[in-house]
Amino acid sequence: MSKILRYGVVYPWNFIFNHEVSPLRHIPDVSTRHYVLQVLAFMWVVAFSIVVGNATFFYVNFLAHAVLVGAATITVITLTTATVKPELFIRKAGWGRSVDGEHE
């Protein structure tokens, strides 16, 4: 069962979505790489919806993919910002609770 999961699920997932394993790793610009992955995701949404033959399913599937890609994008942006400019996450005076935990 472990081999089935490893080669049937984990390897294909990493091959597509892991930027160190995917053939898209050869694209030097990360934003271009991400854009290409989004275009491929949209292509598969359209292809699967055409095969199923239901226009309603297309919209639901497209919306679900848009939400997932959006969530992943926000996560990557947040983690990248935390790495490059951690000072943006330092609490400043007047923003919510003060350093001692009290608020206005």
Side-chain angles (χ1 to χ4, degrees), residues 1-19 21-22:
M1 181 68 172
S2 176
K3 284 187 177 185
I4 293 172
L5 285 175
R6 187 177 312 128
Y7 294 113
V9 177
V10 175
Y11 179 75
W13 177 271
N14 283 331
F15 184 75
I16 295 170
F17 296 111
N18 187 343
H19 68 93
V21 178
S22 170

Side-chain angles (χ1 to χ4, degrees), residues 28-39:
D29 184 28
V30 176
S31 60
T32 303
R33 192 181 319 160
H34 182 75
Y35 175 73
V36 170
L37 195 59
Q38 283 182 335
V39 169

